[in-house]
Amino acid sequence: MVKLKFLGLLITAVILILACEKDDICVDGDTPLLQISFFDAEDTNTVSTVTSIRVIGDGQTEVIETDSLVDRTDLENISIPLKTTETSTTFQFIVDSEDDDDGNETGNIDTVTFSYELGDEYVSRACGFIANYNNVTSNVSLDTNNWIKSIEIITEDVNLDNINTTHVKIYH
């Protein structure tokens, strides 16, 4: 009886494995990140490092970290996620980020809002749909000490076709 149960489980496992198709494994299903490069505001063709950058989603307490964005490091390029359920995402971009003795942020904070239209793209049966961002625009909130001088949208559409190109240039 035990051998029959084992044989039945083995046959079931083989059938399930053979029934899987290539589409049952999601490889390309990630929603694209917004690719940002930093440039010198005086010489707009020169890539410029931002010192000790920190990015926090507006209203959030957690720092955003991705493969290309490590908290409080010097970077020329970053990739950040946009919201997939809303038509805008606001971030606090902090340069020269560090904490004082009380744990308060002392860096220069600029608030940037990216607005966009959401579009869904079907990838495969396993991946389902991913979000694309179309007609991306930006707005920097003005304060008395903006470190971001201007923002240029290079590619208005953020999708799987252009995930490795710069979408936004920030001049500082």
Side-chain angles (χ1 to χ4, degrees):
M1 187 66 145
V2 172
K3 288 182 180 180
L4 286 175
K5 285 183 182 178
F6 177 75
L7 184 61
L9 285 173
L10 183 64
I11 291 171
T12 303
V14 169
I15 290 172
L16 288 174
I17 291 172
L18 294 176
C20 291
E21 296 178 17
K22 182 181 175 188
D23 282 351
D24 290 339
I25 300 172
C26 182
V27 179
D28 299 322
D30 291 335
T31 294
L33 300 176
L34 184 68
Q35 306 291 329
I36 300 173
S37 295
F38 297 100
F39 287 81
D40 187 310
E42 301 299 318
D43 182 5
T44 58
N45 293 320
T46 303
V47 176
S48 179
T49 301
V50 176
T51 56
S52 189
I53 189 168
R54 170 175 267 191
V55 180
I56 301 174
D58 195 44
Q60 303 294 314
T61 57
E62 295 293 318
V63 174
I64 295 175
E65 291 201 31
T66 63
D67 290 342
S68 72
L69 176 59
V70 178
D71 189 35
R72 292 184 172 160
T73 56
D74 300 346
L75 298 170
E76 297 174 347
N77 305 293
I78 62 172
S79 303
I80 56 175
L82 298 174
K83 292 180 181 178
T84 59
T85 57
E86 298 179 26
T87 58
S88 69
T89 306
T90 302
F91 297 98
Q92 293 179 340
F93 285 82
I94 308 168
V95 67
D96 299 326
S97 176
E98 56 182 54
D99 294 333
D100 64 13
D101 293 337
D102 296 326
N104 298 315
E105 177 64 53
T106 62
N108 187 343
I109 302 171
D110 281 358
T111 303
V112 179
T113 300
F114 293 101
S115 300
Y116 42 85
E117 297 171 6
L118 285 169
D120 290 332
E121 178 179 343
Y122 180 76
V123 178
S124 68
R125 183 173 64 173
C127 297
F129 289 87
I130 61 164
N132 285 326
Y133 308 99
N134 302 312
N135 301 317
V136 175
T137 60
S138 65
N139 181 44
V140 179
S141 297
L142 297 177
D143 60 35
T144 58
N145 189 24
N146 280 92
W147 68 271
I148 296 175
K149 302 304 179 197
S150 65
I151 297 178
E152 179 183 1
I153 303 296
I154 302 300
T155 306
E156 290 183 351
D157 297 331
V158 179
N159 53 49
L160 286 180
D161 294 334
N162 61 16
I163 59 174
N164 294 320
T165 61
T166 298
H167 303 119
V168 176
K169 289 183 177 182
I170 293 181
Y171 299 98
H172 65 102

